[in-house]
């Protein structure tokens, strides 16, 4: 393939490779996939602070924008559970849900919201170090199996960019592409890549508002990071990371 062939993914199209108009799975009346990845009933859920009770995040938008930059050096200061709750809500928080869609703090093409948020937690008040997943609909965390040597494996999967493990928490976003493909078929990759940019930018601004910083991470080894968080790499795979820490 020529490098220019890869540009096609960025272009808007409703046609398949032989020029036929695409009929989406939604138009075929196939069932819509779930809005969120499920969890097992016996898994322990951890309550987060409700957005109604947030006391943090009060700096002005103009100050957050002025201060925003990619930060790769973090202090030893802990994030509080409220601050973590605020960051999760700022990036994927559900403000309203219907049977078929969620409406969140970030926009998403067709309100498909194809992402799940995994967290490698290292220094957050009241939470053991380990791997967690955010349940956006419930605004709760589910604790996942803790892989041995989490830091070592995460560092290796991110080409030794040390700030992914010197953080208080590292966000790892996965895509479940069928959520968007069900409606947008071949246009989905383009839409999901636009969607995830909104998520990470909200993390930048929300982090600045709690005297913390983040840095978008697009350089990682796909197989290693997918294996570490336990996703299949096909129907769900890592799409972006961002470590957060206090400065
Ligand atoms: C899609 C994307 C991927 C990035 N990946 C990395 C990365 O893997 N490692 C890194 O140190 N910075 C990464 N960055 C951060 C950029 O290097 C940074 O945004 C750029 O240098 C501009 O600096 P600023 O964010 O401080 O304005 C990434 C940024 C974006 C938007």
């Amino acid at each position: 393939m020529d490098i220019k062939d890869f540009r096609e993914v960025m272009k808007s199209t409703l046609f398949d490779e032989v020029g036929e108009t695409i009929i989406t799975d939604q138009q075929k009346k196939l069932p819509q996939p779930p809005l969120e990845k499920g969890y097992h009933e016996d898994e322990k859920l951890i309550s987060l602070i409700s957005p109604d009770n947030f006391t943090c995040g009060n700096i002005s938008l103009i100050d957050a924008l002025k201060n925003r930059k990619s930060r790769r050096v973090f202090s030893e200061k802990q994030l509080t559970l409220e601050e973590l709750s605020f960051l999760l809500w700022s990036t994927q928080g559900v403000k309203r849900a219907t049977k078929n869609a969620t409406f969140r703090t970030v926009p998403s093409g067709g309100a498909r919201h194809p992402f799940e948020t995994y967290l490698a937690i290292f220094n957050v008040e009241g939470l053991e170090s380990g791997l967690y997943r955010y349940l956006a609909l419930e605004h709760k965390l589910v604790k996942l199996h803790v892989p041995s040597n989490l830091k070592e494996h995460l560092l290796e999967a991110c080409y030794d960019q040390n700030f992914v493990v010197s953080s208080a928490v590292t966000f790892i976003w996965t895509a479940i592409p069928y959520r968007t493909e069900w409606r947008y078929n071949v246009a989905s990759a383009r839409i999901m890549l636009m969607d995830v940019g909104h998520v990470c930018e909200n993390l930048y601004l929300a982090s600045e508002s709690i005297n913390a910083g983040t840095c978008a991470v697009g350089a990682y080894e796909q197989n290693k990071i997918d294996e570490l968080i336990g996703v299949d790499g096909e129907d769900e795979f890592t799409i972006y990371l961002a470590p957060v820490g206090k400065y």
Side-chain angles (χ1 to χ4, degrees):
M1 284 239 282
D2 187 87
I3 188 157
K4 289 185 180 168
D5 294 333
F6 291 93
R7 295 178 185 170
E8 295 309 307
V9 83
M10 291 192 283
K11 298 181 187 170
S12 179
T13 180
L14 294 172
F15 305 104
D16 67 13
E17 64 277 12
V18 292
E20 299 284 331
T21 304
I22 283 162
I23 309 294
T24 66
D25 282 0
Q26 180 177 15
Q27 287 164 330
K28 289 181 201 157
K29 307 248 182 278
L30 291 175
Q32 177 178 331
L35 301 173
E36 176 177 271
K37 187 171 178 175
Y39 56 92
H40 297 293
E41 269 171 25
D42 52 357
E43 278 178 312
K44 195 179 138 221
L45 302 193
I46 299 159
S47 293
L48 294 168
I49 311 301
S50 159
D52 296 334
N53 297 323
F54 288 158
T55 58
C56 62
N58 291 317
I59 71 164
S60 69
L61 179 59
I62 192 154
D63 283 340
L65 288 164
K66 278 182 180 164
N67 293 344
R68 189 217 66 83
K69 62 178 182 178
S70 293
R71 297 183 192 267
R72 300 175 180 85
V73 179
F74 306 121
S75 71
E76 299 282 304
K77 286 184 205 155
Q78 273 202 330
L79 279 188
T80 65
L81 189 63
E82 181 189 345
E83 288 167 335
L84 180 68
S85 307
F86 170 66
L87 296 177
L88 285 163
W89 180 81
S90 302
T91 47
Q92 283 288 273
V94 175
K95 295 187 292 181
R96 186 164 69 85
T98 64
K99 196 161 68 70
N100 299 321
T102 53
F103 298 89
R104 307 194 186 202
T105 51
V106 285
S108 167
R112 297 298 82 209
H113 292 289
F115 308 122
E116 295 290 328
T117 307
Y118 294 75
L119 301 174
I121 288 185
F122 303 119
N123 194 12
V124 177
E125 171 199 44
L127 294 178
E128 277 174 54
S129 290
L131 205 53
Y132 296 75
R133 184 160 59 84
Y134 179 50
L135 300 172
L137 279 167
E138 294 81 359
H139 190 58
K140 289 186 175 174
L141 288 181
V142 58
K143 192 164 193 313
L144 305 177
H145 166 72
V146 184
S148 58
N149 304 332
L150 174 60
K151 275 196 175 182
E152 202 179 295
H153 287 298
L154 184 58
L155 188 61
E156 191 187 323
C158 295
Y159 299 111
D160 289 332
Q161 300 185 83
N162 71 306
F163 51 93
V164 300
V165 295
S166 61
S167 57
V169 54
T170 291
F171 284 61
I172 304 166
W173 291 291
T174 63
I176 298 191
Y178 187 63
R179 275 188 216 154
T180 298
E181 289 163 355
W182 175 77
R183 177 169 295 174
Y184 292 118
N185 199 292
V186 293
S188 300
R190 189 175 67 93
I191 289 171
M192 288 186 279
L193 292 173
M194 292 190 274
D195 282 352
V196 80
H198 300 301
V199 176
C200 194
E201 180 62 7
N202 270 23
L203 186 64
Y204 269 100
L205 297 177
S207 297
E208 290 298 336
S209 78
I210 56 167
N211 295 319
T214 188
C215 177
V217 172
Y220 51 83
E221 282 190 70
Q222 191 71 51
N223 293 344
K224 286 187 180 166
I225 191 77
D226 287 344
E227 195 181 317
L228 180 65
I229 62 170
V231 297
D232 68 9
E234 183 75 34
D235 294 320
E236 181 178 6
F237 49 83
T238 303
I239 190 164
Y240 218 1
L241 288 91
V244 178
K246 293 267 183 173
Y247 53 79

